[in-house]
């Protein structure tokens, strides 16, 4: 049986992550209050950010930028700004 959490991003009870995917206090906060679904949404945005901004994960400044974007996306409801990207309209 999977664990459930009240997802701060989705504002509902949802299946939680199976294990802590990110280190430190932020990782604990994500594990305890972000669902698998919401984290998957972040991962899609993260890939776009890394590719479009040509981020190097060996660069500490790039990692800090990505962490700030992740926290803003998951906990503050801010969408990721990617220059030139227009979401598909339904």
């Amino acid at each position: 049986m999977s664990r459930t959490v009240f997802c701060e991003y989705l504002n509902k009870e949802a299946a939680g992550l199976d294990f802590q995917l990110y280190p430190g206090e932020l990782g604990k906060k994500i594990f305890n209050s972000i669902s698998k679904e919401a984290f998957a949404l972040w991962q899609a945005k993260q890939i776009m950010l890394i590719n479009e901004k040509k981020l190097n994960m060996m660069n500490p400044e790039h990692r800090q930028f990505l962490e700030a974007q992740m926290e803003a996306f998951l906990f503050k409801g801010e969408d990721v700004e990617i220059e030139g990207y227009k979401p598909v309209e339904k």
Side-chain angles (χ1 to χ4, degrees):
M1 186 171 132
S2 68
R3 61 189 272 284
T4 60
V5 295
F6 182 81
C7 180
E8 288 188 33
Y9 182 82
L10 301 174
N11 287 319
K12 67 177 184 177
E13 287 286 325
L17 297 167
D18 294 327
F19 52 91
Q20 186 175 327
L21 297 170
Y22 199 79
E25 289 301 314
L26 180 57
K28 289 178 189 175
K29 185 176 177 183
I30 291 168
F31 181 71
N32 291 324
S33 57
I34 297 297
S35 68
K36 284 182 182 180
E37 179 184 353
F39 200 77
L41 292 171
W42 160 248
Q43 287 178 312
K45 296 285 187 173
Q46 175 180 263
I47 291 167
M48 292 171 70
L49 271 173
I50 291 169
N51 290 337
E52 294 301 318
K53 295 198 178 283
K54 297 175 176 47
L55 300 178
N56 176 354
M57 293 299 94
M58 296 300 288
N59 183 326
E61 291 173 5
H62 291 188
R63 288 195 313 267
Q64 287 176 341
F65 169 78
L66 201 58
E67 182 177 292
Q69 292 292 309
M70 176 175 62
E71 194 166 12
F73 180 82
L74 292 174
F75 296 106
K76 298 176 185 169
E78 297 176 16
D79 201 10
V80 173
E81 294 288 327
I82 299 171
E83 190 175 319
Y85 172 72
K86 293 186 179 22
V88 177
E89 293 187 22
K90 296 178 182 179

